[in-house]
Amino acid sequence: MRSGSGITAESVAFSFDGTTYHGQRGDTLAAALIANGVQLVARSFKLHRPRGIMAAGVEEASALVTVGSGAHGEPNVRASDVYLYPGLVARSQNAWPSLRRDIGAVNSLAAALIPAGFYYKTFFGPPSRWMLYERFIRRAAGLGQPPRLPDPDHYGHRSAFCDVLVVGAGPAGLNAALAATLAGKRVILIEQDVLPGGTLLREDVTINGAPGAHWAQYVVARILEAGGRVLTRTTATGYWDDNFVTAVERRVEPGQPGTGEAQVSWRLRCGEVVLATGAIERPLVFVNNDLPGVMLAGAVRELALRHGVVPGRRAVIATSHDEAYRTAFALAALGVDIVAILDSRADPAGPVIAVARARFTVLTDARPLRAWRRGMAMAGLEAQVGGTRQSFAIDCLAMSGGSSPVLHLHRQAGGALEFDAARGAFLPGAGRQRHSTLGAAAGVHDLAALLPDATVVDPLGAGTPPAPGPVWRDEAPGKAFVDFQNDVTTADLALAQREGYVSVEHTKRYTTLGMGTDQGKTGAMVALAQIADLRALPLPDTGLTTFRAPYTPVTLGAFAGPMRGDHAAPLRRLALANAHDALGALWVPAGAWMRPRAYPHQGESLGVASLREARMVRANVGVVDVSSLAKFEIAGPDALTLVAAVCATPVAKLAVGRGRYTVMLREDGMVMDDGTLWRLEETRWLLTSSTGGAARMARHLTYVADVLLGHPRAAVVDLGEHWAGLALAGPAAAHVLAGLTGAPVPAHMGLDAAHLAGVPVRILAASYSGERAFEVHVRRDQAAPVFAALVEAARAAGGGVYGLDAMDHLRVEKGHVVIGAEADGRTTPADLGMAGMLRKTGGYVGWQGLTRPALADAATRRQLVGLTALDAGAIAEGAMLVAREGAEPVGHVTTAAPRVAGEGAIALGLLLNGAARHGDRLLAWSPTRHSTVPVEVGPPLFFDPEGARYRD
Amino acid sequence: MLLIPCPHCGPRNQEEFAYERTLDSVVRLDDAPDVALSALYTRANLRGDDHEIWTHAQGCGQWLRLTRHRMTHAIHSVEPL
Ligand SMILES: [Zn+2]
């Protein structure tokens, strides 16, 4: 049985690549694998080099595995960031057929053919070149595969406030959180580990007489007792404006099935934020520094002291500062043979050095040059020791090249950085928001200094702060890595510099340095030191890439939370939804609404049903639900002023009781929406507009009123939710409606009040189908009897109900545009053939935009045209209009439909200079739908050009 | 996420608000075309304070003028329009 500060004796079975092993509860997968002697854990991203475990936390760059099976599988999990649970199943990635016999490893041999910048250059080349390489590259280079099944986990969202948020429950964070809680503040302390303690979990120290890890538990208990909140296994992922911090809490481990919430996404608004995020140790650069067995010294210490596990039997410690010496004592206590300590400093001194010299071989002015392997693991090391080279037969190297304070959140908050030349590290400068940084994140490693009120006993003493040694200058031939996850070597950095990708932002894109799941946590500062050396610049002058959120990868489900599937967006059901269901409606989402698309008869396809419904309207009469259209009432002494500002058509002379078609423009002159405007009374208007644009129009009306017109005496009431709208269209519509109301129907574009089925209604005589048509508006709670009466009367007249597709067929045949299809935000009224409708005197939103000279050049404008298929094929919506396949597109198909009156396929489209191209023949070509149809261009009007049918 | 002090509702999360535009890009109905086009297409974007129009869309619905720093995002004032 092992002993360590973080583990209990309970044995836990798990598997890796199909072999069952046993670990102990509290172990990370990394610790348990090492305890079982498994060194080879992964193959590297690009070169397929054998990799083992290098780090002990989220900074692990190499040992990425897939955890869990089936839908619960989670790829790219850091072996050091998943804690054992019974039945944990882990698999290696990026290796086939197995980790040991990985075919992709020939990539190592072919590496000279895929140098840094390969992707970059390929992207700049002709697209065909990328198409050629893509399949090969995607198979060869890769991380884990996400499961293809729906994610079965539940994810929660929580919001919270606090006076003080403390990020990191190491000694500095615990101390700050306890002090703030005792001072009566609302405190939240978050820690990414399952245990509090931070570095205390890997150091042999006592605080107030207790081992460090126990002291940490005691402080957490006191914080909770005093009313504070502690979230473990929770990572602060982003620091945003106004002290808003996001965090993700894992409630079950990766791949672990559970019944409750697997993860909770926290949104924290904080009075002040204390960043006690610690520091990340840096690797040393030498040839084959990526071999299994080469690890960060702090990680080795954590394995030994927290988990009671050792990664080898014969170890060398290689360091540039005092802290890594502690690893020698920790390993020796577990019986590991410390072959030597290599210190790059010429003349290190101090208490820990003195103790070490007494027990171990300490070599100064000494650093690793080259490691080698036997099988898949480290077997030896060649080192430079003063002026000579020495070799060591070892299976473990614990290295430390200094340490990098974790300043991601500080930077995201807008905080400044200051370079400390002695530490070779950036330290936090002035904050921009209300935040401060403590502990190792601020460069303070001395426990006694961090905990001035406690009695700290550290048998090895504090030592000097971590600092890097000399940079690597190719003292031995071979690959020396700076970024382990992306296989970036010192040679790649040099190549980028030679080829002119000098700026660190360019170097990053060129070499992929600092990308991937670890985002350069271990490698970035090492690479900067190399670049600074190559350019002979001080390190801060090389620049620094942006610290973007999230700090660690976040499962997409955690962002979505409960808002997925049917909960992804609110679903809006029509007032008459049940009645439509009773009629056999097939539903289709239209904006946020579900609308009836058609009412197919038994065994009838959607296309056949829609065409039948449309022909029914042309022949007799049909009823369609148009309730989702936006409806605004605008009333008050200044209502005309507001209406005239919003509508681009003449409005002032519209008589009471009459309406007209209108368009509303954006300021740049593009069509924003369209609808009908009705004058109910002298100072009271009704404006209808598109379903999808309803929210935008509501906001636009108040913008024009409050911002442009300075609060005119006019009220805008959004009636969209209050009224249902039912359109009755067809040659028999007037007769049917008159029969139901017992009153004459209003003239075309007239309106009237009436009673229908005993319910008060408003009747608007407007047509969108090309047939005589009426919209019946009724309070939504009184709509059912009106709809029932309309349907019954329409059926009695040989008609019935019709849906959205039939409506579309009818309007295409008449060339009526739809917002979002023809009016796609890039079309002016003139492009849509409506220039003649505009108010000549201007004064409406968008009138100035229409004067932009470029809009007058028809040759550059896509204009509305009608398209008639010249063969039997249906025209594909979205197809390009081209002279021949592969030619530069000159337009596109916006809406396609079958002819209702007659046979064949027609469409509306937007075509460059289209108004002048009637009679031209083109192809409607859609390579993605494998469709090519010859079409003839004509006016956007296929039926009843005189408009005789809809007039009285 | 910004915390925007709505003069009517008090401090609320940014997600309750909708950003409209900068004040200097507002096109008045009686602006001459060249003035309007310049407001739309050739605006300065200097470091320093910006005047912006927002609406408390998921709150009181009021239109607001924010004075906000383009780099630090710090909000100096919020006034109803
Ligand atoms: Zn408000």
Side-chain angles (χ1 to χ4, degrees), chain B residues 6 8-9 56 60:
Chain B
C6 174
H8 189 261
C9 312
H56 195 184
C60 61

Side-chain angles (χ1 to χ4, degrees), chain A residues 914-926:
Chain A
R917 297 194 61 176
H918 294 175
D920 285 7
R921 292 185 170 198
L922 292 166
L923 296 178
W925 177 48
S926 174

Side-chain angles (χ1 to χ4, degrees), chain A residues 240-242 244 267 269 432 645 667-668 699 702-703 706-709 711 843-845 847-848 851-852, chain B residues 1-3 13 15 18-21 26-29 31 33 36 40-41 53 55 63 71-73 81:
Chain A
W240 315 87
D241 285 318
D242 285 326
F244 186 78
R267 298 145 40 99
R269 183 72 76 176
R432 183 186 286 164
E667 272 140 337
D668 60 1
R699 190 169 135 195
T702 64
Y703 172 79
D706 293 0
V707 181
L708 296 187
L709 297 173
H711 301 279
Y844 51 84
V845 173
W847 75 271
Q848 301 103 324
T851 66
R852 187 156 61 89
Chain B
M1 181 159 45
L2 292 170
L3 194 64
N13 276 342
E15 64 193 353
Y19 172 81
E20 173 68 25
R21 56 179 63 229
V26 170
V27 177
R28 300 281 161 193
L29 290 163
D31 280 346
L40 285 174
Y41 297 113
I53 299 177
T55 173
W63 287 88
M71 205 190 72
T72 66
H73 305 175
L81 269 167

Side-chain angles (χ1 to χ4, degrees), chain A residues 318-563:
Chain A
T319 183
S320 52
H321 57 95
D322 290 1
E323 194 182 84
Y325 278 71
R326 307 176 73 90
T327 303
F329 295 95
L331 285 179
L334 294 176
V336 176
D337 183 7
I338 303 300
V339 176
I341 297 174
L342 309 181
D343 193 324
S344 64
R345 295 171 294 184
D347 192 18
V352 72
I353 313 286
V355 184
R357 281 187 195 278
R359 278 189 66 183
F360 311 116
T361 306
V362 176
L363 303 173
T364 57
D365 192 16
R367 56 211 177 86
L369 292 177
R370 183 175 65 91
W372 60 84
R373 65 186 169 111
R374 187 180 307 118
M376 289 291 160
M378 183 182 200
L381 179 77
E382 182 182 33
Q384 187 77 42
V385 182
T388 64
R389 293 192 171 189
Q390 286 186 31
S391 291
F392 307 92
I394 55 170
D395 55 7
C396 175
L397 177 75
M399 63 180 168
S400 182
S403 116
S404 306
V406 176
L407 300 175
H408 296 64
L409 297 175
H410 172 80
R411 279 300 285 165
Q412 287 169 20
L417 298 181
E418 285 167 10
F419 188 70
D420 182 315
R423 287 181 170 84
F426 287 101
L427 296 179
R432 183 186 286 164
Q433 304 188 33
R434 295 179 305 280
H435 57 101
S436 55
T437 308
L438 295 179
V444 181
H445 291 249
D446 179 1
L447 212 46
L450 289 173
L451 307 174
D453 303 326
T455 307
V456 176
V457 177
D458 180 352
L460 295 174
T464 56
V471 301
W472 176 252
R473 286 184 169 148
D474 296 325
E475 285 93 339
K479 290 190 184 304
F481 289 86
V482 290
D483 182 325
F484 294 71
Q485 184 163 103
N486 297 293
D487 278 339
V488 179
T489 64
T490 52
D492 295 327
L493 295 181
L495 178 69
Q497 292 299 315
R498 282 202 304 279
E499 298 208 336
Y501 296 89
V502 175
S503 145
V504 67
E505 292 284 2
H506 290 158
T507 308
K508 170 174 176 169
R509 272 77 192 174
Y510 192 75
T511 62
T512 67
L513 168 75
M515 296 187 179
T517 66
D518 73 323
Q519 291 285 296
K521 287 185 178 64
T522 49
M525 286 303 291
V526 178
L528 284 186
Q530 290 288 137
I531 293 169
D533 189 58
L534 287 164
R535 295 177 64 190
L537 283 175
L539 190 145
D541 294 357
T542 59
L544 201 58
T545 56
T546 309
F547 292 93
R548 287 198 179 84
Y551 174 63
T552 51
V554 176
T555 310
L556 287 176
F559 289 110
M563 293 177 284

